[in-house]
Amino acid sequence: MGLAVSDPTGTIASALETLLVRSAADAVARVVAVARAEEVESIVVGMPLLLSGEKGEAARHAERFAAKLAASSGLPVQTYDERLTSALSQRRMHELGERASRAKGRVDAGAAVVLLESWLMRLASQRRMQEPS
């Protein structure tokens, strides 16, 4: 499971450790521990929608995971479309001359960065739209 965190201004997303988890309960506990250690204000969970935009079983699992994270952490937890984040992570690695086929953990961390960057851009755009002209 890839993790990323933003700087306090919400401008830069950086990869954190990649977690190897054994169960949903293990994943929740470990993400909550990292969130507390990093003093985060909210958590964004990738929503693995189908390419059609519909929710499949993986998306329903992500929703349950997000609900458990919210209950365990006491933090706001949102889901955000993660379609193609792994592909973009692999592309970035390829452009840097890295072999993604041998680095699943780094692909997952990169995908987490891509997801968080996209979410931060959307958040910044929403803020700009709300500013008075």
Side-chain angles (χ1 to χ4, degrees), residues 37-59:
E38 295 291 329
E39 299 178 346
V40 303
E41 296 174 6
S42 65
I43 299 172
V44 180
V45 173
M47 176 61 69
L49 299 172
L50 301 173
L51 288 179
S52 66
E54 297 176 310
K55 292 180 182 177
E57 184 55 35

Side-chain angles (χ1 to χ4, degrees), residues 30-43 73 75:
R30 297 196 48 208
V31 170
V32 168
V34 170
R36 287 186 179 136
E38 295 291 329
E39 299 178 346
V40 303
E41 296 174 6
S42 65
I43 299 172
S73 69
L75 294 169

Side-chain angles (χ1 to χ4, degrees), residues 2 43-49 58-59 61-63 65-66 78-83 85 115:
I43 299 172
V44 180
V45 173
M47 176 61 69
L49 299 172
H61 175 74
E63 288 176 324
F65 178 71
Q78 300 175 37
T79 58
Y80 192 70
D81 184 358
E82 71 169 24
R83 286 178 289 178
T85 57
L115 176 85

Side-chain angles (χ1 to χ4, degrees), residues 4 10-13 44 80-85 88 92 110-126 128:
T11 305
I12 300 170
V44 180
Y80 192 70
D81 184 358
E82 71 169 24
R83 286 178 289 178
L84 305 177
T85 57
L88 185 51
R92 286 179 176 180
V113 168
V114 169
L115 176 85
L116 186 54
E117 286 172 341
S118 178
W119 186 80
L120 290 169
M121 284 189 286
R122 187 198 76 183
L123 196 62
S125 177
Q126 288 174 343
R128 283 191 301 274

